Amino acid sequence: MKFEITILGSGSALPTIKRRPSAHFVNCNERYVLIDCGEGTQLQLRKYKIKFQRIELILITHLHGDHYFGLVGLLSSMHLLGRKQKMQIIGPEGLEELIRPQLEIGGAYLNFELEFKALSYPTSEIVYEDNVIEVASIPLKHRIPTHGFIVSEKKRLLSLNKSIFDMHELSVALIPSIREGKDVVLEDGSVIPNHMLTLPPEKPKKYAYCSDTLYRESLIEYITGVDLLYHEATFLDIEKDRAKKTFHTTAAQAGVLAKKALVGQLMIGHFSSRYDDVTEHLKEASIYFENVITAEEGMVVRL
Amino acid sequence: MKFEITILGSGSALPTIKRRPSAHFVNCNERYVLIDCGEGTQLQLRKYKIKFQRIELILITHLHGDHYFGLVGLLSSMHLLGRKQKMQIIGPEGLEELIRPQLEIGGAYLNFELEFKALSYPTSEIVYEDNVIEVASIPLKHRIPTHGFIVSEKKRLLSLNKSIFDMHELSVALIPSIREGKDVVLEDGSVIPNHMLTLPPEKPKKYAYCSDTLYRESLIEYITGVDLLYHEATFLDIEKDRAKKTFHTTAAQAGVLAKKALVGQLMIGHFSSRYDDVTEHLKEASIYFENVITAEEGMVVRL
């Protein structure tokens, strides 16, 4: 099973050479999802050699440019590269009306279906579901309507009980069907029941993406126990008044929230361009919560 | 006097890591002009350390994304960085209606005045003029309404007649006023007339930017004798049918046009992403016109 997040942009409103605007690429058991799409995201996808035509779902948190200015360019390039399969985009009301005219005025009649689903604010609902993943929206508190998202694996496959499997000298070709729950029928017609060959599956993993937002304890009900919480930490705590004024969070506040929500790991990002270095952010969040990492371009986090 | 063009993007519709979408930065005697603004232009401006807040005029040729998708992000960053002075944008009809809603929906009420001037197609007219430069639009022939631009110096200062200047042992502080045409009054009240101290100025320079377009001999009337012609050469001549079908030009055609228009130098660019290397484009254009260069990211051309 694979649940990986690749950081394409860890910066905030002002893109710099070092920190690009927000974009996280999620590969959950070969379901490819993009969360946010700041300017230049298509080149970041190329840089990190992600097969971006396989993205079928794009989630946009809100309509500040550092979270969606790269969307129209990405869709345009997907078209030019011959995309045929549908793309679903889930984001704030108004997004479709900003994107479609830009595609249409250039005469690019897309060869693929583009479906927008508009999120009304503030809601928390299941916004996407297939046999592999489920995505829920969660209301954040920013200057304009903003949602975070939780991407959850539907289920993990059963774990192989290797000692029993080896004892029967079974072919490795049987492993996928065993992990899906099937019994094994031997050549002599006898049956090894599945429960003999397997152990309970690992708990399905959850990834929560929360940017941009004020520190809000009301988030805890949604994110409690997620394996990885990405939470914005635009400022250091010394700038907490500024954070409040601009509806952002400090690194300390992100740490406190992670602790209260009992998450597995905290990743902080959306760093203001005023900081050349984010070591202090890491230190500050770590005071309140042990397992913290800082988002860095190109970094891959495995759940 | 300074007339410099910095290439920010030499690619075409599909941005790649190596070749970015169209954008040329022009510094004509400290007038800063940006021509086209594909996605990521703001980071290219940062990369090449251009003081982009000093840009007062942006020219957009047409509404294909590789020529304007970076505009909204650049304007947004200018705002965030505290810009106060007016920005003038000259481009196709419809551009303003695509850009303003994206700024407004995010709640970014700009601290600077943004003035759009819409070009009706096909026209050739003086679209901008101040005491330093003049900009003319020229109609190109592409799949959607498209204009090229000619940026011309208004005048060059008089050249100093150094031998006469030295003979009188004058202060170098007088040079600027002498070059502007003023006489010199000596301490004893006697006057050295300006024509004694100066030589005729150099001919003002002209830069023509022609992208994207079919090969068109009707362009010659506009571009004859320009010092530098930037002309698209999306394809090699072996793809001339494809060039025609997509309303683009081949390298050979760009060379022929440069020769017929008696330009000083030809710079080719807007290369299709299918070409890893553009040596063949250079060779092909050079068959017809001697003085050819290929546009490369970060290259500075001085007129």
Side-chain angles (χ1 to χ4, degrees):
Chain A
M1 309 302 278
K2 182 185 261 189
F3 199 152
E4 285 182 0
I5 293 99
T6 306
I7 308 307
L8 305 173
S10 69
S12 59
L14 205 59
T16 65
I17 300 292
K18 188 176 169 199
R19 295 204 183 268
R20 303 307 170 95
S22 291
H24 284 199
F25 168 73
V26 179
N27 175 351
C28 181
N29 299 325
E30 304 307 316
R31 273 294 176 277
Y32 283 24
V33 181
L34 182 67
I35 311 182
D36 280 339
C37 187
E39 183 176 355
T41 295
Q42 63 169 313
L43 283 188
Q44 294 293 87
L45 287 164
R46 277 181 183 266
K47 183 173 177 183
Y48 301 119
K49 303 194 189 310
I50 292 164
K51 293 185 175 75
F52 59 83
Q53 288 287 35
R54 290 183 50 197
I55 296 169
E56 287 169 26
L57 176 64
I58 300 176
L59 309 168
I60 301 292
T61 56
H62 65 300
L63 295 182
H64 281 154
D66 55 318
H67 295 258
Y68 85 94
F69 280 168
L71 180 57
V72 65
L74 176 61
L75 296 172
S76 176
S77 292
M78 285 173 163
H79 165 70
L80 291 169
L81 289 165
R83 184 183 183 98
K84 294 277 185 287
Q85 84 268 31
K86 178 177 153 182
M87 172 66 81
Q88 188 169 358
I89 299 173
I90 299 174
E93 283 177 357
L95 178 61
E96 179 169 8
E97 293 71 20
L98 293 175
I99 298 299
R100 288 208 191 270
Q102 296 186 72
L103 295 168
E104 285 161 10
I105 208 166
Y109 298 101
L110 299 185
N111 289 324
F112 60 94
E113 189 190 344
L114 191 58
E115 183 184 301
F116 283 86
K117 181 186 169 82
L119 298 171
S120 57
Y121 182 82
T123 54
S124 174
E125 56 183 325
I126 305 299
V127 293
Y128 176 88
E129 189 174 10
D130 61 28
N131 59 346
V132 180
I133 60 168
E134 181 183 281
V135 180
S137 63
I138 50 180
L140 304 179
K141 186 74 182 167
H142 196 42
R143 302 193 299 276
I144 58 173
T146 304
H147 283 94
F149 297 100
I150 299 177
V151 181
S152 307
E153 274 179 309
K154 273 300 230 342
K155 60 168 185 178
R156 292 234 151 181
L157 294 177
L158 294 158
S159 297
L160 192 68
N161 187 335
K162 201 164 176 308
S163 56
I164 306 293
F165 179 85
D166 288 347
M167 192 182 77
H168 286 283
E169 296 181 343
L170 299 172
S171 158
V172 292
L174 291 167
I175 294 178
S177 72
I178 293 171
R179 294 195 62 198
E180 282 169 6
K182 299 213 173 80
D183 298 337
V184 172
V185 182
L186 300 176
E187 282 183 7
D188 64 6
S190 64
V191 173
I192 311 173
N194 185 271
H195 69 86
M196 299 285 290
L197 292 163
T198 58
L199 299 166
E202 279 186 88
K203 196 171 144 262
K205 307 280 187 184
K206 286 176 186 283
Y207 172 53
Y209 178 99
C210 299
S211 184
D212 302 4
T213 187
L214 267 178
Y215 172 76
R216 291 196 95 189
E217 301 209 343
S218 58
L219 272 183
I220 295 170
E221 66 168 303
Y222 304 111
I223 62 173
T224 292
V226 299
D227 299 276
L228 176 64
L229 167 65
Y230 169 74
H231 199 287
E232 72 128 298
T234 308
F235 297 105
L236 287 171
D237 216 48
I238 198 170
E239 296 268 26
K240 71 179 169 203
D241 290 343
R242 187 177 187 85
K244 194 170 177 186
K245 203 175 132 195
T246 57
F247 290 77
H248 284 297
T249 301
T250 70
Q253 290 169 337
V256 169
L257 198 72
K259 184 182 174 70
K260 292 191 176 184
L262 306 167
V263 307
Q265 186 173 38
L266 169 66
M267 172 166 52
I268 52 174
H270 199 264
F271 303 117
S272 166
S273 61
R274 71 188 58 199
Y275 304 107
D276 280 337
D277 181 276
V278 296
T279 314
E280 287 304 313
H281 290 70
L282 183 66
K283 280 188 197 161
E284 199 173 278
S286 300
I287 295 169
Y288 304 95
F289 185 75
E290 199 175 53
N291 192 4
V292 187
I293 52 176
T294 57
E296 302 292 339
E297 275 66 5
M299 188 172 88
V300 178
V301 188
R302 290 185 178 83
L303 268 60
Chain B
M1 311 300 279
K2 181 186 262 190
F3 198 152
E4 283 182 0
I5 292 101
T6 306
I7 309 306
L8 305 173
S10 71
S12 59
L14 205 60
T16 64
I17 301 291
K18 188 176 168 198
R19 295 201 183 270
R20 303 306 171 94
S22 292
H24 284 199
F25 168 73
V26 180
N27 174 350
C28 181
N29 300 324
E30 303 308 315
R31 274 293 177 279
Y32 283 23
V33 181
L34 181 66
I35 311 183
D36 280 339
C37 188
E39 184 177 354
T41 295
Q42 62 169 314
L43 283 187
Q44 293 292 88
L45 287 162
R46 277 181 183 265
K47 182 171 178 185
Y48 300 119
K49 301 194 189 311
I50 292 164
K51 295 185 175 74
F52 60 82
Q53 288 287 35
R54 290 182 49 197
I55 296 170
E56 288 170 26
L57 176 64
I58 299 176
L59 310 168
I60 302 291
T61 56
H62 67 299
L63 295 182
H64 281 154
D66 55 318
H67 296 258
Y68 84 95
F69 280 169
L71 180 56
V72 65
L74 176 61
L75 295 172
S76 176
S77 292
M78 286 173 162
H79 165 70
L80 290 169
L81 289 165
R83 185 182 182 101
K84 293 279 185 288
Q85 84 268 31
K86 177 177 154 183
M87 171 65 81
Q88 188 168 0
I89 298 173
I90 300 174
E93 284 176 357
L95 178 61
E96 180 170 7
E97 292 73 17
L98 294 175
I99 298 299
R100 287 209 192 269
Q102 295 187 73
L103 295 169
E104 286 162 8
I105 208 164
Y109 299 101
L110 299 185
N111 289 323
F112 60 94
E113 187 189 347
L114 190 58
E115 182 184 301
F116 283 87
K117 180 188 170 83
L119 297 171
S120 56
Y121 182 82
T123 52
S124 174
E125 56 183 324
I126 305 300
V127 292
Y128 177 87
E129 190 173 8
D130 61 28
N131 59 346
V132 180
I133 60 168
E134 180 184 284
V135 179
S137 62
I138 51 180
L140 303 179
K141 186 73 182 168
H142 196 40
R143 302 193 299 276
I144 58 173
T146 304
H147 283 94
F149 297 100
I150 299 176
V151 180
S152 308
E153 275 179 309
K154 273 302 234 335
K155 60 167 186 178
R156 293 234 151 181
L157 294 176
L158 294 160
S159 297
L160 192 68
N161 188 333
K162 198 161 181 310
S163 58
I164 306 294
F165 179 84
D166 288 347
M167 192 182 75
H168 286 285
E169 296 181 345
L170 298 173
S171 159
V172 292
L174 290 168
I175 293 178
S177 72
I178 292 171
R179 293 195 62 197
E180 282 168 7
K182 298 211 173 83
D183 297 337
V184 172
V185 182
L186 300 176
E187 282 184 8
D188 64 5
S190 64
V191 172
I192 312 173
N194 184 272
H195 69 85
M196 298 285 291
L197 292 164
T198 58
L199 297 165
E202 278 187 90
K203 197 169 144 262
K205 305 281 186 186
K206 285 176 187 284
Y207 172 52
Y209 179 98
C210 299
S211 184
D212 301 5
T213 188
L214 267 178
Y215 172 75
R216 291 195 96 190
E217 300 211 343
S218 58
L219 273 183
I220 295 170
E221 67 168 302
Y222 303 112
I223 63 174
T224 292
V226 298
D227 299 277
L228 175 65
L229 167 65
Y230 170 73
H231 199 286
E232 71 130 296
T234 307
F235 296 106
L236 286 171
D237 217 48
I238 198 171
E239 295 267 26
K240 72 180 167 202
D241 290 343
R242 188 177 186 85
K244 195 171 176 185
K245 203 175 132 195
T246 57
F247 290 77
H248 283 300
T249 301
T250 70
Q253 290 169 338
V256 168
L257 198 73
K259 182 181 174 70
K260 290 190 176 183
L262 306 167
V263 306
Q265 187 173 38
L266 169 66
M267 171 165 52
I268 53 176
H270 198 264
F271 303 117
S272 165
S273 60
R274 73 188 58 200
Y275 304 107
D276 280 337
D277 181 277
V278 297
T279 313
E280 286 304 312
H281 289 70
L282 183 66
K283 280 187 198 163
E284 199 174 278
S286 301
I287 294 169
Y288 304 96
F289 185 74
E290 199 175 54
N291 192 5
V292 187
I293 52 175
T294 57
E296 303 292 339
E297 274 66 5
M299 189 172 88
V300 178
V301 188
R302 291 186 177 82
L303 269 60

